[in-house]
Amino acid sequence: MVKQGGFSLIEVMITVAIVAILAVIAIPSYERYKVKVNRVAAQSDLVEMGTKLQQYLVTRRSFIKDNGFIGLADVNLTNQLPRNEPNLYTVSLNVTANTWELVAKPNLGTPQAGDGVLVLNSKGYRCWDKQLTTACDPSAITNWDGR
């Protein structure tokens, strides 16, 4: 009788079990990584938006226009972030005559939902807290790394 080469059923089952265990560990880790990457992209876009707002202020010396305060459209900015992913955050702009604050809230039904609100203001202060569903108060000691 000639012995045939190949894998036994037990060997195949063990291999499948190992691959399944690795998938159970890797997939949630990858999902958390994607959420973090999207948050960092939105933070980068917020900084660019802040730069445009500062340029507007330097050019016009105020955020006041004829019928009130400016909005995002007046500075050619969108209210959806990040630019490379559609509709993960909705941005609102709060302005006074010479200051501004950008607030990016994660949209419901997206991977970012429940990841906290991003805030950046005209002083360069920023804050983010994953536990908060409302905007945090940026100060000199807050930042975007959650500490």
Side-chain angles (χ1 to χ4, degrees):
M1 185 163 172
V2 177
K3 184 173 180 176
Q4 294 186 356
F7 299 106
S8 70
L9 181 59
I10 298 288
E11 292 170 331
V12 172
M13 296 285 287
I14 290 171
T15 303
V16 168
I18 291 171
V19 169
I21 290 169
L22 290 174
V24 165
I25 294 169
I27 291 173
S29 177
Y30 176 69
E31 293 298 322
R32 285 190 303 274
Y33 173 76
K34 283 186 2 183
V35 167
K36 183 177 180 180
V37 166
N38 290 333
R39 182 176 61 247
V40 169
Q43 290 168 343
S44 175
D45 290 349
L46 278 177
V47 170
E48 286 183 34
M49 293 171 83
T51 301
K52 287 186 178 184
L53 287 165
Q54 286 301 112
Q55 289 171 346
Y56 184 95
L57 180 62
V58 167
T59 304
R60 294 181 177 78
R61 300 180 191 252
S62 176
F63 291 119
I64 299 173
K65 61 180 191 174
D66 295 338
N67 57 350
F69 293 109
I70 67 163
L72 290 170
D74 296 314
V75 195
N76 296 323
L77 297 173
T78 179
N79 71 336
Q80 296 296 320
L81 291 181
R83 289 177 300 193
N84 61 347
E85 295 287 335
N87 301 326
L88 294 177
Y89 290 89
T90 299
V91 179
S92 60
L93 171 64
N94 305 316
V95 294
T96 64
N98 296 312
T99 65
W100 53 265
E101 180 177 77
L102 292 167
V103 178
K105 294 183 179 179
N107 293 334
L108 297 175
T110 67
Q112 299 308 115
D115 190 50
V117 178
L118 301 169
V119 181
L120 175 68
N121 69 19
S122 56
K123 293 180 182 178
Y125 298 162
R126 51 190 82 184
C127 67
W128 167 77
D129 188 342
K130 184 174 181 162
Q131 308 305 318
L132 294 178
T133 56
T134 59
C136 49
D137 188 25
S139 69
I141 60 170
T142 59
N143 55 40
W144 277 339
D145 64 7
R147 288 185 257 155

